[in-house]
Coordinates of all heavy atoms in Angstrom, one line a residue:
M19 N 0.8 -1.2 0.0 CA 0.0 0.0 0.0 C 0.9 1.2 0.0 O 1.9 1.3 0.6 CB -0.9 0.0 1.2 CG -1.9 1.1 1.4 SD -3.2 0.9 0.2 CE -4.0 2.4 0.3
W20 N 0.4 2.2 -0.7 CA 1.2 3.5 -0.8 C 1.1 4.2 0.5 O 0.1 4.1 1.3 CB 0.6 4.4 -1.8 CG 0.7 3.9 -3.2 CD1 1.5 3.0 -3.7 CD2 -0.2 4.3 -4.3 NE1 1.3 2.7 -5.0 CE2 0.2 3.5 -5.4 CE3 -1.2 5.1 -4.4 CZ2 -0.4 3.6 -6.6 CZ3 -1.8 5.2 -5.6 CH2 -1.4 4.5 -6.7
N21 N 2.1 5.1 0.8 CA 2.1 5.9 1.9 C 1.7 7.3 1.5 O 2.5 8.2 1.2 CB 3.5 6.0 2.6 CG 3.5 6.7 3.9 OD1 2.4 6.9 4.5 ND2 4.6 7.1 4.3
V22 N 0.4 7.5 1.3 CA -0.2 8.7 0.8 C -0.4 9.7 1.9 O -1.1 9.4 2.9 CB -1.5 8.5 0.0 CG1 -2.1 9.7 -0.6 CG2 -1.3 7.4 -1.1
P23 N 0.0 11.0 1.7 CA -0.2 12.0 2.8 C -1.8 12.2 3.0 O -2.5 12.1 2.0 CB 0.4 13.2 2.2 CG 1.4 12.8 1.2 CD 0.8 11.5 0.6
V24 N -2.1 12.5 4.2 CA -3.6 12.6 4.5 C -4.2 13.7 3.6 O -5.4 13.5 3.2 CB -3.7 13.0 6.0 CG1 -5.1 13.3 6.3 CG2 -3.2 11.9 6.9
D25 N -3.6 14.8 3.3 CA -4.1 15.8 2.5 C -4.5 15.3 1.1 O -5.5 15.8 0.5 CB -3.2 17.0 2.4 CG -3.0 17.8 3.7 OD1 -4.0 17.7 4.5 OD2 -2.0 18.4 3.9
L26 N -3.7 14.4 0.6 CA -4.0 13.9 -0.7 C -5.0 12.8 -0.7 O -5.8 12.6 -1.7 CB -2.7 13.3 -1.4 CG -1.7 14.2 -1.9 CD1 -0.5 13.5 -2.5 CD2 -2.3 15.1 -3.0
L27 N -5.1 12.1 0.4 CA -6.1 11.0 0.5 C -7.6 11.6 0.3 O -8.4 10.9 -0.3 CB -6.1 10.3 1.9 CG -5.0 9.2 2.0 CD1 -5.0 8.7 3.4 CD2 -5.3 8.1 1.0
G28 N -7.8 12.7 0.9 CA -9.2 13.3 0.7 C -9.5 13.6 -0.7 O -10.6 13.3 -1.2
L29 N -8.5 14.0 -1.5 CA -8.7 14.3 -2.9 C -8.9 13.0 -3.7 O -9.7 12.8 -4.5 CB -7.5 15.1 -3.5 CG -7.6 15.4 -5.0 CD1 -8.8 16.3 -5.2 CD2 -6.4 16.0 -5.5
L30 N -8.0 12.0 -3.4 CA -8.0 10.7 -4.1 C -9.3 9.9 -3.8 O -9.7 9.1 -4.7 CB -6.8 9.9 -3.8 CG -5.4 10.6 -4.2 CD1 -4.3 9.7 -3.8 CD2 -5.4 10.8 -5.7
N31 N -9.9 10.2 -2.7 CA -11.1 9.5 -2.3 C -12.3 10.4 -2.3 O -13.3 10.2 -1.5 CB -10.9 8.8 -0.9 CG -9.9 7.8 -0.9 OD1 -9.8 7.0 -1.8 ND2 -9.1 7.7 0.2
W32 N -12.3 11.4 -3.1 CA -13.4 12.4 -3.1 C -14.7 11.8 -3.4 O -15.7 12.3 -2.8 CB -13.1 13.5 -4.1 CG -13.3 13.2 -5.5 CD1 -12.4 12.6 -6.4 CD2 -14.5 13.3 -6.3 NE1 -13.0 12.4 -7.6 CE2 -14.3 12.8 -7.5 CE3 -15.7 13.9 -6.0 CZ2 -15.2 12.9 -8.5 CZ3 -16.7 13.9 -7.0 CH2 -16.4 13.4 -8.2
V33 N -14.8 10.7 -4.1 CA -16.1 10.2 -4.4 C -16.8 9.6 -3.2 O -18.0 9.8 -3.0 CB -16.0 9.0 -5.5 CG1 -17.4 8.3 -5.7 CG2 -15.5 9.6 -6.8
S34 N -16.0 9.1 -2.3 CA -16.5 8.5 -1.0 C -16.8 9.6 0.0 O -17.6 9.4 0.9 CB -15.4 7.6 -0.4 OG -15.1 6.5 -1.3
H35 N -16.2 10.8 -0.1 CA -16.4 11.9 0.8 C -16.6 13.2 0.0 O -15.7 14.1 0.2 CB -15.2 12.0 1.8 CG -14.9 10.7 2.5 ND1 -15.7 10.2 3.5 CD2 -13.9 9.8 2.3 CE1 -15.2 9.0 3.9 NE2 -14.1 8.7 3.2
P36 N -17.6 13.3 -0.7 CA -17.8 14.5 -1.5 C -18.0 15.8 -0.7 O -17.7 16.9 -1.2 CB -19.0 14.2 -2.4 CG -19.8 13.2 -1.7 CD -18.7 12.4 -0.9
D37 N -18.4 15.6 0.5 CA -18.6 16.8 1.4 C -17.3 17.5 1.8 O -17.3 18.6 2.1 CB -19.4 16.4 2.7 CG -18.8 15.2 3.4 OD1 -18.3 14.3 2.7 OD2 -18.7 15.3 4.6
G38 N -16.2 16.8 1.6 CA -14.9 17.4 2.0 C -14.1 17.8 0.7 O -12.9 18.1 0.8
L39 N -14.8 17.8 -0.4 CA -14.1 18.1 -1.7 C -13.4 19.5 -1.7 O -12.3 19.7 -2.1 CB -15.0 17.9 -2.9 CG -14.4 18.1 -4.2 CD1 -13.2 17.2 -4.4 CD2 -15.4 17.8 -5.3
K40 N -14.2 20.5 -1.2 CA -13.6 21.9 -1.3 C -12.4 21.9 -0.4 O -11.3 22.5 -0.9 CB -14.7 22.8 -0.7 CG -14.2 24.3 -0.8 CD -15.4 25.2 -0.3 CE -14.9 26.6 -0.4 NZ -15.9 27.6 0.0
D41 N -12.4 21.3 0.8 CA -11.2 21.3 1.6 C -10.0 20.6 1.0 O -8.9 21.0 1.1 CB -11.5 20.7 3.0 CG -12.5 21.6 3.8 OD1 -12.5 22.9 3.6 OD2 -13.2 21.1 4.7
S42 N -10.4 19.5 0.3 CA -9.3 18.6 -0.3 C -8.7 19.4 -1.5 O -7.4 19.3 -1.6 CB -9.9 17.3 -0.9 OG -10.4 16.5 0.2
L43 N -9.4 20.1 -2.2 CA -8.9 20.9 -3.3 C -8.0 22.0 -2.8 O -6.9 22.3 -3.4 CB -10.0 21.4 -4.2 CG -10.7 20.4 -5.1 CD1 -11.9 21.0 -5.7 CD2 -9.8 19.8 -6.2
T44 N -8.4 22.7 -1.8 CA -7.7 23.7 -1.2 C -6.4 23.2 -0.6 O -5.3 23.8 -0.7 CB -8.5 24.4 -0.1 OG1 -9.7 25.0 -0.6 CG2 -7.7 25.6 0.6
A45 N -6.5 22.0 0.1 CA -5.3 21.4 0.7 C -4.3 20.9 -0.3 O -3.1 21.0 0.0 CB -5.7 20.2 1.6
L46 N -4.7 20.6 -1.5 CA -3.8 20.1 -2.5 C -2.7 21.1 -2.8 O -1.5 20.8 -3.0 CB -4.5 19.7 -3.8 CG -3.6 19.3 -5.0 CD1 -2.8 18.1 -4.7 CD2 -4.4 19.2 -6.3
M47 N -3.1 22.4 -2.9 CA -2.1 23.4 -3.2 C -1.2 23.7 -2.0 O -0.3 24.6 -2.2 CB -2.8 24.6 -3.7 CG -3.5 24.3 -5.1 SD -4.2 25.7 -5.9 CE -5.8 25.8 -5.0
K48 N -1.4 23.1 -0.9 CA -0.5 23.3 0.2 C 0.4 22.0 0.5 O 1.2 22.1 1.4 CB -1.3 23.6 1.5 CG -2.1 24.9 1.3 CD -3.0 25.2 2.5 CE -3.8 26.5 2.2 NZ -4.9 26.6 3.1
V49 N 0.1 21.0 -0.2 CA 0.9 19.7 0.0 C 2.3 19.9 -0.6 O 2.4 20.6 -1.7 CB 0.1 18.5 -0.7 CG1 1.0 17.3 -0.7 CG2 -1.2 18.3 -0.1
D50 N 3.2 19.3 0.0 CA 4.6 19.4 -0.5 C 4.6 18.9 -1.9 O 4.1 17.9 -2.3 CB 5.5 18.6 0.4 CG 7.0 18.6 -0.1 OD1 7.6 19.7 -0.1 OD2 7.5 17.6 -0.4
G51 N 5.3 19.7 -2.8 CA 5.4 19.3 -4.2 C 5.9 17.9 -4.5 O 5.5 17.3 -5.4
E52 N 6.8 17.5 -3.7 CA 7.4 16.2 -3.8 C 6.3 15.1 -3.7 O 6.3 14.1 -4.4 CB 8.5 15.9 -2.8 CG 9.3 14.7 -3.1 CD 10.6 14.7 -2.2 OE1 11.3 15.8 -2.2 OE2 10.9 13.7 -1.7
E53 N 5.4 15.3 -2.8 CA 4.3 14.3 -2.6 C 3.3 14.4 -3.8 O 2.8 13.4 -4.2 CB 3.5 14.6 -1.3 CG 4.4 14.4 -0.1 CD 4.9 13.0 0.1 OE1 4.2 12.0 -0.3 OE2 6.0 12.8 0.6
V54 N 3.1 15.6 -4.3 CA 2.1 15.7 -5.4 C 2.7 15.0 -6.7 O 2.0 14.2 -7.3 CB 1.8 17.2 -5.7 CG1 1.0 17.3 -7.0 CG2 1.2 17.9 -4.6
V55 N 4.0 15.2 -7.0 CA 4.5 14.6 -8.2 C 4.7 13.1 -8.0 O 4.6 12.4 -9.0 CB 5.8 15.3 -8.6 CG1 5.6 16.7 -9.1 CG2 6.9 15.2 -7.6
K56 N 4.9 12.7 -6.8 CA 5.0 11.2 -6.5 C 3.7 10.5 -6.9 O 3.7 9.4 -7.4 CB 5.3 11.0 -5.1 CG 5.7 9.6 -4.7 CD 5.9 9.4 -3.2 CE 6.8 10.3 -2.5 NZ 7.0 10.0 -1.1
F57 N 2.6 11.2 -6.7 CA 1.3 10.6 -7.1 C 0.6 11.3 -8.2 O -0.6 11.5 -8.3 CB 0.4 10.6 -5.8 CG 0.9 9.8 -4.7 CD1 1.5 10.5 -3.6 CD2 0.9 8.5 -4.6 CE1 2.1 9.8 -2.5 CE2 1.4 7.7 -3.6 CZ 2.0 8.4 -2.5
L58 N 1.4 11.8 -9.1 CA 1.0 12.7 -10.2 C -0.2 12.2 -11.0 O -1.2 12.8 -11.2 CB 2.1 13.1 -11.1 CG 1.8 14.1 -12.2 CD1 1.4 15.4 -11.6 CD2 3.1 14.4 -13.0
Q59 N -0.1 11.0 -11.5 CA -1.1 10.4 -12.3 C -2.4 10.2 -11.5 O -3.5 10.5 -12.0 CB -0.7 9.1 -12.9 CG -1.8 8.5 -13.9 CD -1.3 7.5 -14.8 OE1 -0.1 7.2 -14.9 NE2 -2.2 6.8 -15.5
D60 N -2.3 9.8 -10.3 CA -3.5 9.6 -9.5 C -4.2 10.9 -9.2 O -5.4 11.0 -9.2 CB -3.2 8.9 -8.1 CG -2.7 7.5 -8.4 OD1 -3.3 6.7 -9.2 OD2 -1.6 7.1 -7.8
V61 N -3.4 11.9 -8.9 CA -3.9 13.3 -8.6 C -4.6 13.8 -9.9 O -5.7 14.4 -9.8 CB -2.8 14.2 -8.1 CG1 -3.3 15.7 -8.1 CG2 -2.3 13.8 -6.8
L62 N -4.0 13.7 -11.0 CA -4.6 14.2 -12.3 C -5.9 13.4 -12.6 O -6.9 14.0 -13.0 CB -3.6 14.0 -13.4 CG -2.4 15.0 -13.4 CD1 -1.4 14.6 -14.4 CD2 -2.8 16.4 -13.5
D63 N -5.9 12.1 -12.4 CA -7.1 11.3 -12.6 C -8.2 11.9 -11.7 O -9.3 12.0 -12.2 CB -6.9 9.8 -12.3 CG -6.1 9.1 -13.3 OD1 -6.0 9.6 -14.5 OD2 -5.6 8.0 -13.0
A64 N -7.9 12.1 -10.4 CA -8.9 12.6 -9.5 C -9.5 14.0 -10.0 O -10.7 14.2 -10.0 CB -8.4 12.7 -8.1
L65 N -8.5 14.9 -10.3 CA -9.0 16.2 -10.7 C -9.9 16.2 -12.0 O -10.9 16.8 -12.0 CB -7.8 17.1 -11.0 CG -7.0 17.5 -9.8 CD1 -5.7 18.2 -10.1 CD2 -7.8 18.3 -8.8
F66 N -9.5 15.4 -13.0 CA -10.3 15.3 -14.2 C -11.6 14.6 -13.9 O -12.6 14.9 -14.5 CB -9.5 14.7 -15.4 CG -8.5 15.7 -15.9 CD1 -7.1 15.4 -15.8 CD2 -8.9 16.8 -16.5 CE1 -6.2 16.3 -16.3 CE2 -7.9 17.7 -17.0 CZ -6.6 17.5 -16.9
N67 N -11.6 13.6 -13.0 CA -12.9 13.0 -12.7 C -13.8 13.9 -12.0 O -15.0 13.9 -12.2 CB -12.6 11.7 -11.8 CG -12.1 10.6 -12.6 OD1 -12.4 10.4 -13.8 ND2 -11.4 9.7 -11.9
I68 N -13.2 14.8 -11.2 CA -14.1 15.9 -10.5 C -14.7 16.7 -11.6 O -15.9 17.0 -11.5 CB -13.2 16.7 -9.5 CG1 -12.8 15.8 -8.3 CG2 -14.0 17.9 -9.1 CD1 -11.7 16.5 -7.5
L69 N -14.0 17.1 -12.6 CA -14.5 18.0 -13.6 C -15.6 17.2 -14.4 O -16.6 17.9 -14.7 CB -13.4 18.4 -14.6 CG -12.5 19.4 -14.2 CD1 -11.4 19.6 -15.3 CD2 -13.1 20.7 -13.9
M70 N -15.5 15.9 -14.6 CA -16.4 15.2 -15.4 C -17.6 14.7 -14.6 O -18.7 14.6 -15.1 CB -15.7 14.0 -16.1 CG -14.6 14.4 -17.0 SD -15.0 15.5 -18.3 CE -16.2 14.6 -19.2
Q71 N -17.5 14.4 -13.3 CA -18.5 13.7 -12.6 C -19.2 14.6 -11.5 O -20.3 14.2 -11.0 CB -17.9 12.5 -11.9 CG -17.4 11.5 -12.8 CD -16.7 10.3 -12.1 OE1 -16.8 10.1 -10.9 NE2 -16.1 9.5 -12.9
N72 N -18.6 15.7 -11.2 CA -19.2 16.5 -10.1 C -20.3 17.3 -10.6 O -20.2 18.0 -11.6 CB -18.1 17.3 -9.4 CG -18.6 17.9 -8.1 OD1 -19.6 18.6 -8.0 ND2 -17.9 17.5 -7.0
S73 N -21.4 17.3 -9.9 CA -22.6 18.1 -10.4 C -22.5 19.6 -10.1 O -23.2 20.4 -10.7 CB -23.9 17.5 -9.8 OG -23.8 17.5 -8.4
D74 N -21.7 20.0 -9.1 CA -21.6 21.4 -8.7 C -20.4 22.0 -9.5 O -19.5 22.5 -8.8 CB -21.5 21.5 -7.2 CG -21.8 22.9 -6.7 OD1 -21.9 23.8 -7.6 OD2 -21.8 23.1 -5.5
S75 N -20.6 22.1 -10.8 CA -19.4 22.6 -11.6 C -19.1 24.1 -11.3 O -18.0 24.5 -11.4 CB -19.7 22.4 -13.1 OG -20.8 23.1 -13.5
D76 N -20.2 24.9 -10.9 CA -19.9 26.3 -10.6 C -18.9 26.5 -9.5 O -18.1 27.4 -9.5 CB -21.2 27.0 -10.3 CG -22.1 27.2 -11.5 OD1 -21.6 27.1 -12.6 OD2 -23.3 27.4 -11.3
L77 N -19.0 25.6 -8.5 CA -18.2 25.7 -7.3 C -16.8 25.1 -7.5 O -15.8 25.7 -7.2 CB -18.8 25.0 -6.1 CG -18.0 25.0 -4.8 CD1 -17.7 26.4 -4.3 CD2 -18.8 24.2 -3.8
Y78 N -16.7 24.0 -8.2 CA -15.5 23.2 -8.2 C -14.6 23.4 -9.5 O -13.5 23.1 -9.4 CB -15.8 21.7 -8.0 CG -16.3 21.5 -6.6 CD1 -17.6 21.0 -6.4 CD2 -15.6 21.7 -5.5 CE1 -18.1 20.8 -5.2 CE2 -16.1 21.5 -4.2 CZ -17.3 21.1 -4.1 OH -17.8 20.9 -2.8
D79 N -15.2 23.8 -10.6 CA -14.4 23.9 -11.8 C -13.3 24.8 -11.7 O -12.1 24.5 -12.1 CB -15.3 24.3 -13.0 CG -16.2 23.2 -13.5 OD1 -16.1 22.0 -13.0 OD2 -16.9 23.4 -14.5
N80 N -13.5 26.0 -11.1 CA -12.4 26.9 -10.9 C -11.4 26.4 -10.0 O -10.2 26.6 -10.2 CB -12.9 28.3 -10.5 CG -13.6 29.1 -11.6 OD1 -13.3 28.9 -12.8 ND2 -14.5 30.0 -11.2
M81 N -11.8 25.8 -8.9 CA -10.8 25.2 -8.0 C -10.0 24.1 -8.6 O -8.8 24.1 -8.4 CB -11.6 24.6 -6.7 CG -12.2 25.7 -5.9 SD -13.0 25.0 -4.4 CE -11.6 24.8 -3.4
V82 N -10.6 23.3 -9.4 CA -9.8 22.2 -10.1 C -8.9 22.9 -11.1 O -7.7 22.5 -11.2 CB -10.8 21.3 -10.9 CG1 -10.0 20.3 -11.8 CG2 -11.6 20.4 -9.9
F83 N -9.3 23.9 -11.8 CA -8.4 24.6 -12.7 C -7.2 25.2 -12.0 O -6.1 25.1 -12.4 CB -9.2 25.7 -13.4 CG -8.4 26.5 -14.4 CD1 -8.0 25.9 -15.6 CD2 -8.0 27.8 -14.1 CE1 -7.2 26.7 -16.5 CE2 -7.3 28.5 -15.1 CZ -6.9 28.0 -16.2
E84 N -7.4 25.8 -10.8 CA -6.3 26.3 -10.0 C -5.4 25.2 -9.6 O -4.1 25.4 -9.6 CB -6.9 27.1 -8.8 CG -7.6 28.3 -9.1 CD -6.7 29.4 -9.7 OE1 -5.5 29.5 -9.3 OE2 -7.2 30.2 -10.6
C85 N -5.9 24.1 -9.2 CA -5.1 22.9 -8.9 C -4.2 22.4 -10.1 O -3.1 22.1 -9.9 CB -5.9 21.8 -8.3 SG -6.6 22.1 -6.7
L86 N -4.9 22.4 -11.2 CA -4.1 22.0 -12.4 C -3.0 23.0 -12.7 O -1.9 22.6 -13.1 CB -5.1 21.9 -13.6 CG -6.0 20.7 -13.5 CD1 -7.1 20.8 -14.6 CD2 -5.3 19.4 -13.7
L87 N -3.3 24.3 -12.6 CA -2.2 25.3 -12.8 C -1.1 25.1 -11.8 O 0.1 25.2 -12.1 CB -2.8 26.7 -12.7 CG -3.7 27.1 -13.8 CD1 -4.2 28.5 -13.6 CD2 -2.9 27.1 -15.2
Y88 N -1.4 24.8 -10.5 CA -0.4 24.5 -9.5 C 0.4 23.3 -9.9 O 1.7 23.4 -9.8 CB -1.2 24.3 -8.2 CG -0.3 23.8 -7.1 CD1 0.7 24.6 -6.5 CD2 -0.3 22.5 -6.6 CE1 1.5 24.2 -5.5 CE2 0.5 22.0 -5.6 CZ 1.4 22.9 -5.0 OH 2.2 22.4 -4.0
I89 N -0.2 22.3 -10.4 CA 0.6 21.1 -10.8 C 1.5 21.4 -12.0 O 2.6 21.0 -12.0 CB -0.4 19.9 -11.1 CG1 -1.0 19.4 -9.7 CG2 0.3 18.7 -11.8 CD1 -2.2 18.5 -9.9
I90 N 1.0 22.1 -13.0 CA 1.8 22.4 -14.1 C 3.0 23.3 -13.7 O 4.1 23.1 -14.1 CB 0.9 23.1 -15.2 CG1 0.0 22.1 -15.8 CG2 1.8 23.7 -16.3 CD1 -1.1 22.7 -16.7
G91 N 2.7 24.2 -12.8 CA 3.8 25.0 -12.2 C 4.8 24.2 -11.5 O 6.0 24.4 -11.6
L92 N 4.4 23.2 -10.7 CA 5.3 22.3 -10.0 C 6.2 21.6 -11.0 O 7.4 21.5 -10.9 CB 4.6 21.3 -9.2 CG 4.1 21.6 -7.8 CD1 3.4 20.4 -7.2 CD2 5.3 22.0 -6.9
V93 N 5.6 21.0 -12.0 CA 6.3 20.2 -13.0 C 7.3 21.1 -13.8 O 8.3 20.6 -14.3 CB 5.4 19.4 -13.9 CG1 6.1 18.6 -15.0 CG2 4.6 18.4 -13.0
S94 N 6.9 22.3 -14.0 CA 7.8 23.3 -14.7 C 9.0 23.7 -13.9 O 10.0 24.2 -14.4 CB 7.0 24.5 -15.1 OG 5.9 24.1 -16.0
D95 N 8.9 23.6 -12.6 CA 9.9 24.0 -11.6 C 11.1 23.1 -11.9 O 11.0 21.9 -12.1 CB 9.5 23.8 -10.2 CG 10.5 24.3 -9.2 OD1 11.6 23.8 -9.2 OD2 10.1 25.2 -8.4
R96 N 12.3 23.6 -11.9 CA 13.5 22.9 -12.1 C 13.7 21.7 -11.2 O 14.1 20.6 -11.6 CB 14.7 23.9 -11.9 CG 16.0 23.2 -12.2 CD 17.1 24.2 -12.0 NE 18.3 23.8 -12.7 CZ 19.0 24.5 -13.5 NH1 18.6 25.7 -13.8 NH2 20.0 24.0 -14.1
K97 N 13.2 21.8 -10.0 CA 13.3 20.7 -9.0 C 12.6 19.5 -9.4 O 12.9 18.4 -9.1 CB 12.8 21.2 -7.7 CG 12.9 20.2 -6.5 CD 12.5 20.9 -5.2 CE 12.6 19.9 -4.1 NZ 12.2 20.5 -2.8
Y98 N 11.4 19.7 -10.2 CA 10.6 18.6 -10.5 C 10.5 18.4 -12.0 O 9.6 17.7 -12.5 CB 9.2 18.8 -10.0 CG 9.1 18.9 -8.5 CD1 8.8 20.2 -7.9 CD2 9.5 17.9 -7.7 CE1 8.7 20.3 -6.5 CE2 9.5 18.1 -6.3 CZ 9.1 19.3 -5.7 OH 9.1 19.4 -4.4
Q99 N 11.4 19.0 -12.8 CA 11.4 18.9 -14.2 C 11.4 17.5 -14.8 O 11.0 17.2 -15.9 CB 12.4 19.8 -14.9 CG 13.8 19.3 -14.7 CD 14.8 20.3 -15.3 OE1 14.5 21.4 -15.6 NE2 16.1 19.9 -15.3
H100 N 12.0 16.5 -14.0 CA 12.1 15.2 -14.5 C 10.7 14.5 -14.5 O 10.6 13.4 -15.0 CB 13.1 14.4 -13.6 CG 12.9 14.4 -12.2 ND1 13.2 15.5 -11.4 CD2 12.3 13.5 -11.3 CE1 12.9 15.2 -10.1 NE2 12.3 14.0 -10.1
F101 N 9.7 15.1 -14.0 CA 8.3 14.6 -14.0 C 7.6 15.1 -15.3 O 6.5 14.7 -15.5 CB 7.6 15.0 -12.8 CG 7.9 14.1 -11.6 CD1 8.9 14.5 -10.7 CD2 7.3 12.9 -11.4 CE1 9.3 13.8 -9.6 CE2 7.7 12.1 -10.3 CZ 8.7 12.5 -9.4
Q102 N 8.2 16.0 -16.0 CA 7.6 16.5 -17.3 C 7.2 15.4 -18.2 O 6.1 15.4 -18.7 CB 8.5 17.5 -17.9 CG 7.9 18.2 -19.2 CD 6.7 19.1 -18.8 OE1 6.8 19.9 -17.9 NE2 5.6 19.0 -19.5
P103 N 8.1 14.4 -18.4 CA 7.6 13.3 -19.3 C 6.4 12.5 -18.8 O 5.6 12.1 -19.6 CB 8.9 12.4 -19.4 CG 10.0 13.3 -19.1 CD 9.5 14.3 -18.1
V104 N 6.3 12.5 -17.5 CA 5.1 11.8 -16.9 C 3.9 12.6 -17.2 O 2.9 12.0 -17.6 CB 5.3 11.6 -15.3 CG1 4.0 11.1 -14.7 CG2 6.5 10.8 -15.0
L105 N 3.9 13.9 -17.1 CA 2.8 14.8 -17.4 C 2.5 14.7 -18.9 O 1.3 14.5 -19.3 CB 3.1 16.2 -17.0 CG 2.0 17.2 -17.3 CD1 0.7 16.9 -16.6 CD2 2.4 18.6 -16.9
D106 N 3.5 14.7 -19.8 CA 3.3 14.6 -21.2 C 2.7 13.3 -21.6 O 1.7 13.3 -22.4 CB 4.6 14.8 -22.0 CG 5.2 16.2 -21.8 OD1 4.5 17.1 -21.5 OD2 6.4 16.3 -22.1
L107 N 3.1 12.2 -21.0 CA 2.6 10.9 -21.3 C 1.1 10.8 -20.8 O 0.3 10.3 -21.5 CB 3.4 9.8 -20.6 CG 3.0 8.4 -20.9 CD1 3.2 8.1 -22.4 CD2 3.8 7.4 -20.1
Y108 N 0.9 11.4 -19.7 CA -0.5 11.4 -19.2 C -1.4 12.1 -20.2 O -2.5 11.6 -20.5 CB -0.6 12.1 -17.8 CG -2.0 12.1 -17.2 CD1 -2.4 11.0 -16.5 CD2 -2.9 13.1 -17.5 CE1 -3.7 10.9 -16.0 CE2 -4.2 13.1 -17.0 CZ -4.6 12.0 -16.3 OH -5.9 11.9 -15.8
I109 N -1.0 13.2 -20.6 CA -1.8 14.0 -21.6 C -2.1 13.3 -22.9 O -3.2 13.2 -23.4 CB -1.2 15.4 -21.9 CG1 -1.2 16.3 -20.6 CG2 -1.8 16.1 -23.0 CD1 -0.3 17.5 -20.6
T110 N -1.0 12.6 -23.4 CA -1.2 11.9 -24.7 C -1.8 10.6 -24.6 O -2.5 10.1 -25.5 CB 0.2 11.8 -25.4 OG1 1.1 11.1 -24.6 CG2 0.7 13.2 -25.8
E111 N -1.6 9.9 -23.5 CA -2.0 8.5 -23.4 C -3.2 8.3 -22.5 O -4.1 7.4 -22.8 CB -0.9 7.6 -22.8 CG 0.4 7.6 -23.7 CD 0.3 6.8 -24.9 OE1 -0.4 5.7 -24.9 OE2 0.8 7.2 -26.0
S112 N -3.3 9.0 -21.4 CA -4.3 8.7 -20.3 C -5.5 9.6 -20.3 O -6.6 9.2 -20.0 CB -3.7 8.7 -18.9 OG -2.7 7.7 -18.8
F113 N -5.3 10.8 -20.7 CA -6.4 11.8 -20.6 C -7.4 11.6 -21.7 O -7.0 11.5 -22.8 CB -5.8 13.3 -20.6 CG -6.9 14.3 -20.7 CD1 -7.6 14.6 -19.6 CD2 -7.2 14.9 -21.9 CE1 -8.7 15.5 -19.6 CE2 -8.2 15.9 -21.9 CZ -9.0 16.2 -20.8
S114 N -8.6 11.5 -21.3 CA -9.7 11.5 -22.3 C -10.9 12.1 -21.6 O -11.2 11.9 -20.4 CB -10.0 10.1 -22.7 OG -10.5 9.3 -21.7
A115 N -11.6 13.0 -22.3 CA -12.8 13.6 -21.8 C -13.7 13.9 -23.0 O -13.3 14.1 -24.1 CB -12.5 14.9 -21.1
T116 N -15.0 13.9 -22.7 CA -16.0 14.2 -23.7 C -16.1 15.7 -23.9 O -15.9 16.5 -23.0 CB -17.3 13.6 -23.4 OG1 -17.7 14.0 -22.1 CG2 -17.2 12.1 -23.5

């Protein structure tokens, strides 16, 4: 089992606990960048699932967008640039939306 930080668990399990989604999205941008990139694909899956499956798009779409910008900024940082290929592969291979 992965050793996922508590702040990320709320986001990754948002379907089970939708009442805590706002807090989870806010907390994501405070999680250490190293933890975010370690679980990059899972975090991206969760964020895009929120966009596709959440009924309260007015509230959460902007928050998800801010989180995505945060992640892109992290991966663009020199410290985490070796995760750029992971992000590129995710975009070309894993991401799909209607």
Side-chain angles (χ1 to χ4, degrees):
M19 183 75 190
W20 298 335
N21 186 19
V22 181
V24 174
D25 292 335
L26 284 181
L27 275 177
L29 179 67
L30 298 177
N31 295 322
W32 76 272
V33 174
S34 301
H35 306 286
D37 54 317
L39 183 54
K40 184 176 181 180
D41 292 335
S42 295
L43 289 169
T44 302
L46 174 63
M47 292 186 277
K48 297 175 184 166
V49 173
D50 181 61
E52 195 166 311
E53 296 298 328
V54 174
V55 295
K56 191 185 306 182
F57 300 103
L58 185 59
Q59 184 164 348
D60 296 314
V61 170
L62 290 171
D63 284 344
L65 291 173
F66 287 115
N67 284 333
I68 292 165
L69 285 177
M70 300 305 297
Q71 297 176 10
N72 195 300
S73 58
D74 195 352
S75 60
D76 291 340
L77 177 60
Y78 296 113
D79 285 0
N80 285 337
M81 293 182 77
V82 170
F83 181 71
E84 292 294 325
C85 289
L86 290 169
L87 289 178
Y88 171 72
I89 290 170
I90 291 168
L92 275 179
V93 175
S94 298
D95 187 302
R96 181 181 200 126
K97 183 176 179 181
Y98 303 114
Q99 68 185 10
H100 56 283
F101 285 93
Q102 184 67 46
V104 175
L105 180 60
D106 293 341
L107 186 64
Y108 182 87
I109 291 168
T110 59
E111 302 282 325
S112 299
F113 174 73
S114 65
T116 54

